[in-house]
Amino acid sequence: MRLVNFTFDSSVEIGIAGRPRFLDLHNIYGWQSVTYLPGKRQIKMTWTGPSKDQIWPDLSPDLALALNSLPPVVTLEFRGVSRFAASPHDPEMPYDEDTCLQAVTFTPPEHAADVKNECQVFRTDCEHITFMFRSGFALKIWAEEVELKYGKDA
């Protein structure tokens, strides 16, 4: 899978040219949806940031300003999707943990059936991506490429 315009700088942080660790999908953004468009072979995963009234009042003004300057919506658009799979939510976990990304991992083909396998960061284009959430829910996606969209493009 080719990463078009971004990198994963950690297991939960997205970087773009000139801005490493730009978007934190664990601490700042909450996962909102997945949309599958079979006719286009696309999947869109969307995260939203905190609204201005959710910015914590005890933050320093500089940190609050930095949070307010982030894009409110972030979408990863997967193209050339060949398949995807989900593992179930842990029934012992609250459902609001479905929005909290725990880790993103790239997995080689020989581990396609292993949802909980945490491999190192991106290594080759033949790997698929796994999104693991704090609730135990996980989503694996096999696609040709993925592009980051944010701001008005999201």
Side-chain angles (χ1 to χ4, degrees):
M1 178 178 313
R2 186 172 73 87
L3 307 180
V4 173
N5 60 345
F6 71 99
T7 60
F8 277 99
D9 293 338
S10 73
S11 65
V12 294
E13 294 172 311
I14 288 178
I16 60 173
R19 294 193 70 182
R21 298 183 142 183
F22 173 47
L23 304 168
D24 183 334
L25 300 181
H26 171 76
N27 293 304
I28 306 298
Y29 289 87
W31 182 58
Q32 295 301 306
S33 67
V34 60
T35 303
Y36 177 47
L37 305 165
K40 293 183 175 184
R41 293 183 52 213
Q42 287 183 350
I43 289 178
K44 295 180 182 183
M45 291 183 73
T46 302
W47 283 261
T48 57
S51 63
K52 290 185 194 284
D53 61 332
Q54 291 174 308
I55 303 294
W56 307 274
D58 57 343
L59 288 179
S60 71
D62 289 342
L63 187 53
L65 181 63
L67 286 174
N68 279 326
S69 69
L70 291 173
V73 178
V74 173
T75 299
L76 292 177
E77 182 177 281
F78 296 84
R79 296 186 289 259
V81 173
S82 58
R83 66 182 176 148
F84 68 99
S87 71
H89 166 102
D90 179 346
E92 301 294 318
M93 295 294 289
Y95 281 97
D96 62 353
E97 293 294 344
D98 283 347
T99 66
C100 186
L101 183 66
Q102 180 175 315
V104 175
T105 183
F106 289 86
T107 311
E110 61 270 20
H111 294 285
D114 185 2
V115 174
K116 302 299 182 194
N117 185 25
E118 290 190 38
C119 296
Q120 298 300 315
V121 292
F122 181 74
R123 296 173 300 200
T124 71
D125 286 349
C126 73
E127 297 172 322
H128 61 276
I129 192 168
T130 303
F131 294 87
M132 294 176 284
F133 295 86
R134 290 190 45 159
S135 66
F137 173 72
L139 185 64
K140 295 172 90 67
I141 301 173
W142 289 260
E144 294 170 9
E145 64 184 17
V146 57
E147 182 177 0
L148 170 67
K149 298 196 172 201
Y150 60 93
K152 65 180 180 192
D153 295 329

